[in-house]
Amino acid sequence: MRKKQAKKQAANKIQLIAEVEMTGQIIIPVGDAVAVVRQNNRLFFECTRCSNDYGDISIGDPKMNAIMREKSISEVNPWNKYGKADQFVVREYYCPKCGIMISANMQKKDEPLMMDMELSKL
Amino acid sequence: MKATKKAASIDLITFEVLKNRLWAINDEQANIAFRTAGTLIVYEVRDMNAAITDRDGRGMYLACFNNTLAVTVQAGVKSILASFSKDFIREGDMFLFNDPWQGSVHYCDYTMVAPVFNQGDIVAWSGVSMHEVDVGGQVPGSIFPLAKSAYEEPVIVPAVKVVEGWEVQQDIIKLVCRTSRLPHLLQLDILARMSAIRAANKAIKGLVEKYGEDTFLAFTDQLIGHIRDSILDRLRKIPNGTWYESDYIEHDGLNDVSYPLKLAVTKKDDKLTFDFTGTSPQAPGFINCTLSAVHGQISVVLLSMLGYGLPYSAGALEQLYDVIIPEGSIINASFPAPVALGAIGASWNVRQMTNTCVGKMMACSKELKDYTMADFTAVWNGALMAGITEKGEEFTDIVAEAGGGGAGARSNKDGIDTGGPLDMPGQGIPDVESTEYNYPVLVLWRRESKDASGPGEFRGGSGMEYAMVPYKAGFVMLIVLTAAQYQPGAMGICGGLPANVQFNAVLKNTGIWDRIKSGEIPVDLVDLGGEMDIKPPKSMGPMALDEVLFAVRCGGGGYSDPLLRNPELVAKDMKEGLCSIEVARDIFGVIIDPVTLTIDKVATEKTREEIVHQRIVEGRPVREVLVNEKKAG
């Protein structure tokens, strides 16, 4: 049932950027846009759409080598103009090569960046 | 109670028969409870639940209504076993409590539990918890925003025998109901709990007599072990690591301050650790919660996201996770800190952060990625309309339409529109006619709201908006008890965006009654007009009889980059009134003709390319930002 559903969704999927063949074998997915892959005994984070190398798994989170923009919360949802749009921001993280968004965190403007995860050594 | 018997293993057929029979008993128990209850919030909205535990209080089953409430049955039974001597707990006893330091989530959630005896031994417990509209205290609805300590909040009832040796303790019932503004409804609900527990315990006892005590006790151990092992199998499919999330809760009733909450979930081999270090100390006002609420929230997320297809056994989780929270934290408040908002205060942030961390964690598993979900709707967008009808009768409407938040997006499908909070799969909102029949209000509209969800390749479920005006009321007071008003409350994952903020507002000078008398019913905010007065997230004050209450509820968080969303789905959302042309263009990069609602494919492709280009040109390397942060201290 789930496989059928996933197949249907995949058929509907719009290609934003031409998907390229991954460099290595996927060991761990990180959502759909990033994966931990293995190539020649090296484990690293790779963009699933453009094969950008985010760096070794030891960096913990591919965000470390991503690019980011900070937006006021009111820029991402019209209802948010009723919130404290001057105090809270959404930090969007993208692949530096193809621009796909891999993470978005809502935080207070003056708070340090937040990582999503830190994978242990495999 | 005799010494613990060594439980033998039982055959698989007997195991399956007992598992499904007890599951059905739990379901029936919940059904009896809400069908015999007296309050709309229970019999129609189903802000209640029922649970069965083993003899030691380890949760085995909870029905599918308000699951956080059901976890309190486990905490309550364990507390009773620890507080009283074995001789004090006898066959035919039922205990009632609302003490947040003894298992309850907050004072309004009275829980009743009772042991099942067989030949002098406790073999199991069952319990029912319900949200009561009013359990006394300084304001209708019993959640006083200005309380500075627990002594200014409703009466705390530790576990007391409300039934002893099958004799209903009339004096105890009178004592508990005397505190309420709606004693007749509270009494009906207490009796409903008794009926449900009586029926469940009779059925459980029948099973014990039929299969024998040794077999039954072996079954209870085996069931909890089976569920634990099944969840463990799933947990082992996730790599070791730590996942992070943070959140805020604004305004504690006394101070307009945003309190931070932080969570790091570490998965190491067969264990999860929920570390809340960095979370704010307890607040001066009533948004704090106790540990029982924290365990309730963590349990409902783990059972929903990793325990699917299994009986919801909170007992099975006991060996699977630890928590680290200093005492005196906003989520581990020390008595007598005010905690009246507990269930829909800081404890809800615990659920939000746990949902997001577990969602990110599951997205890192090949086998579980298809089952992951982003954050469900934010905290209950609480508002109470209370006062006196034009006939002089007291009323309290817990505007339960607030339950209509959106579910979190899945990794291969949108979240369910108005699917409700994660812990309340069987909870609903009242029928419009029920609201208008029970309370002096007229509902102008309610619908799934435009842009009230977290965008993503798969978007979160839409939240609801509604508007109502006092009707045949003499006096109305509006008490607002919400959060996720200053900042979005439901986060996206894997590139999905957070959902909208939520709030309650009063619309003034709309000429509503003249318009209604002339046969005109406004259908949305633009049509309604007037001046919008957004209420602070915790506030109370009188509401004029010609003012309109408007509220919008938070939707679910999104999954994956919104630019990857199929434009056909964006167009479908626009046709259904769930997405504006601006959000379609600016967030999803989809250009749609506002009249024909057809997609301009060329313009869409161009717009998406431009957005991507902008991201790459404007984006700053994260390492550079981190270095600058470090320099700035």
Side-chain angles (χ1 to χ4, degrees):
Chain A
M1 181 71 181
R2 280 204 167 245
K3 273 184 183 167
K4 224 178 196 179
Q5 198 179 58
K7 213 174 167 185
K8 198 177 163 193
Q9 294 292 354
N12 286 334
K13 203 163 180 167
I14 293 303
Q15 231 172 289
L16 177 65
I17 290 127
E19 290 182 75
V20 298
E21 207 171 307
M22 301 280 294
T23 310
Q25 178 202 354
I26 294 182
I27 305 297
I28 299 168
V30 182
D32 289 330
V34 183
V36 174
V37 299
R38 187 196 303 274
Q39 191 193 32
N40 302 329
N41 287 331
R42 178 181 169 238
L43 283 172
F44 59 103
F45 292 104
E46 184 173 304
C47 177
T48 60
R49 302 192 75 83
C50 73
S51 79
N52 172 56
D53 183 344
Y54 281 98
D56 283 0
I57 191 171
S58 59
I59 62 171
D61 189 329
K63 275 162 83 167
M64 286 298 290
N65 287 324
I67 54 172
M68 59 90 60
R69 278 192 307 178
E70 191 169 283
K71 293 179 172 177
S72 158
I73 53 170
S74 59
E75 289 179 72
V76 299
N77 190 297
W79 286 110
N80 291 353
K81 68 181 177 208
Y82 298 109
K84 299 268 186 192
D86 55 333
Q87 291 179 24
F88 291 93
V89 293
V90 172
R91 290 168 175 161
E92 297 184 345
Y93 297 83
Y94 319 110
C95 168
K97 198 168 147 192
C98 71
I100 193 168
M101 183 150 63
I102 61 167
S103 176
N105 304 134
M106 184 281 300
Q107 289 187 274
K108 249 187 161 174
K109 213 173 185 173
D110 52 2
E111 288 258 315
L113 303 193
M114 184 183 78
M115 290 296 120
D116 284 318
M117 59 178 199
E118 194 176 335
L119 285 180
S120 303
K121 278 185 184 171
L122 296 177
Chain B
M1 189 166 46
K2 291 174 192 168
T4 306
K5 290 180 179 176
K6 180 71 185 165
S9 170
I10 59 167
D11 67 87
L12 280 178
I13 292 174
T14 308
F15 176 80
E16 282 299 317
V17 168
L18 282 170
K19 183 182 93 177
N20 287 292
R21 181 71 193 104
L22 265 178
W23 211 341
I25 290 169
N26 178 224
D27 193 42
E28 185 187 24
Q29 179 192 14
N31 271 271
I32 292 171
F34 72 72
R35 285 173 196 278
T36 54
T39 49
L40 182 78
I41 191 80
V42 177
Y43 70 72
E44 193 157 322
V45 178
R46 295 170 196 173
D47 191 355
M48 50 74 62
N49 215 341
I52 297 172
T53 80
D54 76 351
R55 58 184 165 169
D56 299 320
R58 294 184 300 166
M60 296 197 293
Y61 295 87
L62 50 96
C64 65
F65 300 100
N66 186 334
N67 292 343
T68 315
L69 289 189
V71 178
T72 68
V73 170
Q74 170 174 297
V77 171
K78 282 176 182 277
S79 176
I80 288 165
L81 287 169
S83 310
F84 298 113
S85 68
K86 287 173 186 171
D87 295 341
F88 184 76
I89 305 166
R90 301 193 193 100
E91 188 162 14
D93 291 349
M94 294 187 188
F95 294 84
L96 184 72
F97 64 92
N98 76 344
D99 185 345
W101 284 273
Q102 197 180 25
S104 186
V105 178
H106 67 163
Y107 307 109
C108 293
D109 297 333
Y110 265 106
T111 302
M112 192 184 291
V113 297
V116 182
F117 272 82
N118 183 59
Q119 297 177 353
D121 294 336
I122 294 177
V123 291
W125 291 74
S126 85
V128 172
S129 190
M130 294 176 178
H131 181 101
E132 294 300 336
V133 175
D134 194 291
V135 294
Q138 304 198 34
V139 290
S142 307
I143 301 173
F144 180 47
L146 302 178
K148 294 189 183 85
S149 92
Y151 295 113
E152 296 174 42
E153 297 190 314
V155 170
I156 303 174
V157 179
V160 290
K161 285 187 186 179
V162 70
V163 176
E164 186 166 14
W166 305 119
E167 287 291 325
V168 176
Q169 304 301 293
Q170 300 289 348
D171 52 346
I172 300 293
I173 292 181
K174 284 185 193 304
L175 178 82
V176 170
C177 293
R178 185 70 181 88
T179 64
S180 172
R181 289 169 184 81
L182 303 162
H184 53 298
L185 295 182
L186 177 53
Q187 181 163 341
L188 276 172
D189 285 356
I190 289 173
L191 297 177
R193 288 175 181 82
M194 284 181 195
S195 306
I197 289 173
R198 180 81 182 91
N201 286 15
K202 194 176 167 191
I204 296 168
K205 192 173 166 67
L207 275 186
V208 178
E209 285 169 355
K210 184 173 175 184
Y211 288 89
E213 190 174 315
D214 288 347
T215 300
F216 184 82
L217 294 178
F219 162 76
T220 57
D221 282 348
Q222 215 163 310
L223 177 82
I224 291 170
H226 161 70
I227 298 169
R228 182 192 59 233
D229 292 346
S230 301
I231 295 174
L232 200 51
D233 280 347
R234 292 168 185 169
L235 208 54
R236 286 174 179 153
K237 293 184 167 93
I238 297 169
N240 286 343
T242 302
W243 286 264
Y244 303 96
E245 190 51 55
S246 63
D247 204 356
Y248 308 88
I249 181 167
E250 68 270 44
H251 209 306
D252 67 7
L254 303 167
N255 309 289
D256 191 4
V257 171
S258 286
Y259 296 89
L261 295 100
K262 295 194 186 300
L263 173 61
V265 179
T266 296
K267 186 261 163 185
K268 191 177 177 199
D269 303 328
D270 292 351
K271 197 92 175 180
L272 290 169
T273 302
F274 292 82
D275 184 350
F276 293 92
T277 302
T279 293
S280 168
Q282 64 193 39
F286 68 152
I287 57 175
N288 306 296
C289 71
T290 57
L291 264 188
S292 45
V294 171
H295 285 291
Q297 303 290 12
I298 291 174
S299 297
V300 298
V301 174
L302 293 179
L303 292 172
S304 300
M305 294 181 73
L306 289 168
Y308 48 85
L310 298 162
Y312 279 180
S313 163
L317 300 175
E318 283 182 345
Q319 294 169 12
L320 298 182
Y321 79 87
D322 291 323
V323 295
I324 300 171
I325 318 174
E327 199 176 335
S329 157
I330 197 168
I331 52 173
N332 184 12
S334 304
F335 185 82
V339 294
L341 199 65
I344 55 171
S347 85
W348 202 296
N349 298 76
V350 171
R351 164 133 41 89
Q352 303 287 143
M353 294 192 296
T354 305
N355 186 162
T356 303
C357 280
V358 174
K360 292 179 196 175
M361 194 171 88
M362 289 172 71
C364 291
S365 161
K366 280 181 185 172
E367 294 88 348
L368 299 177
K369 189 166 72 67
D370 281 355
Y371 295 85
T372 196
M373 297 185 286
D375 204 358
F376 279 48
T377 181
V379 66
W380 187 267
N381 189 23
L384 278 92
M385 290 170 83
I388 297 165
T389 67
E390 65 177 14
K391 288 181 184 167
E393 295 161 351
E394 277 194 53
F395 76 94
T396 303
D397 175 9
I398 305 182
V399 188
E401 282 75 2
R410 293 162 276 187
S411 58
N412 47 24
K413 212 173 180 183
D414 291 345
I416 299 167
D417 295 329
T418 51
L422 179 67
D423 70 323
M424 302 176 180
Q427 199 170 348
I429 57 170
D431 189 286
V432 169
E433 298 303 326
S434 296
T435 297
E436 293 181 345
Y437 174 77
N438 281 279
Y439 308 115
V441 297
L442 184 74
V443 178
L444 298 178
W445 74 80
R446 64 187 209 188
R447 67 169 65 88
E448 283 162 353
S449 190
K450 191 176 281 182
D451 299 329
S453 65
E457 179 180 1
F458 300 104
R459 64 164 175 80
S462 290
M464 199 172 89
E465 65 173 62
Y466 41 94
M468 53 183 75
V469 60
Y471 175 63
K472 294 190 175 177
F475 169 76
V476 178
M477 181 162 75
L478 178 66
I479 303 173
V480 176
L481 306 165
T482 192
Q485 176 169 328
Y486 292 172
Q487 70 288 328
M491 298 304 118
I493 58 169
C494 303
L497 288 167
N500 55 302
V501 303
Q502 58 184 14
F503 60 86
N504 291 275
V506 163
L507 276 297
K508 300 169 188 283
N509 302 322
T510 59
I512 185 66
W513 284 112
D514 289 339
R515 292 163 73 178
I516 288 174
K517 278 173 195 160
S518 67
E520 182 199 348
I521 305 278
V523 294
D524 58 31
L525 269 183
V526 176
D527 194 13
L528 183 62
E531 298 138 33
M532 185 152 76
D533 173 17
I534 296 181
K535 294 294 169 190
K538 278 84 180 179
S539 54
M540 58 180 185
M543 184 175 165
L545 301 182
D546 63 349
E547 289 178 343
V548 177
L549 172 68
F550 169 81
V552 63
R553 183 76 162 101
C554 175
Y559 179 89
S560 179
D561 191 340
L563 291 186
L564 297 174
R565 186 165 178 77
N566 186 338
E568 299 289 348
L569 294 177
V570 178
K572 182 172 174 278
D573 284 346
M574 267 192 71
K575 282 175 197 159
E576 291 175 0
L578 301 179
C579 180
S580 65
I581 195 158
E582 294 81 12
V583 167
R585 182 191 62 220
D586 300 341
I587 306 293
F588 292 104
V590 177
I591 306 301
I592 297 176
D593 185 297
V595 180
T596 62
L597 297 182
T598 51
I599 302 162
D600 183 334
K601 286 185 181 170
V602 176
T604 295
E605 203 172 314
K606 190 166 172 272
T607 304
R608 286 183 161 184
E609 274 170 13
E610 282 168 4
I611 294 174
V612 166
H613 178 71
Q614 219 172 354
R615 286 175 175 179
I616 294 172
V617 170
E618 292 177 7
R620 295 153 61 205
V622 169
R623 282 188 189 272
E624 190 184 296
V625 178
L626 289 170
V627 168
N628 289 340
E629 268 180 0
K630 209 171 175 183
K631 276 184 194 164

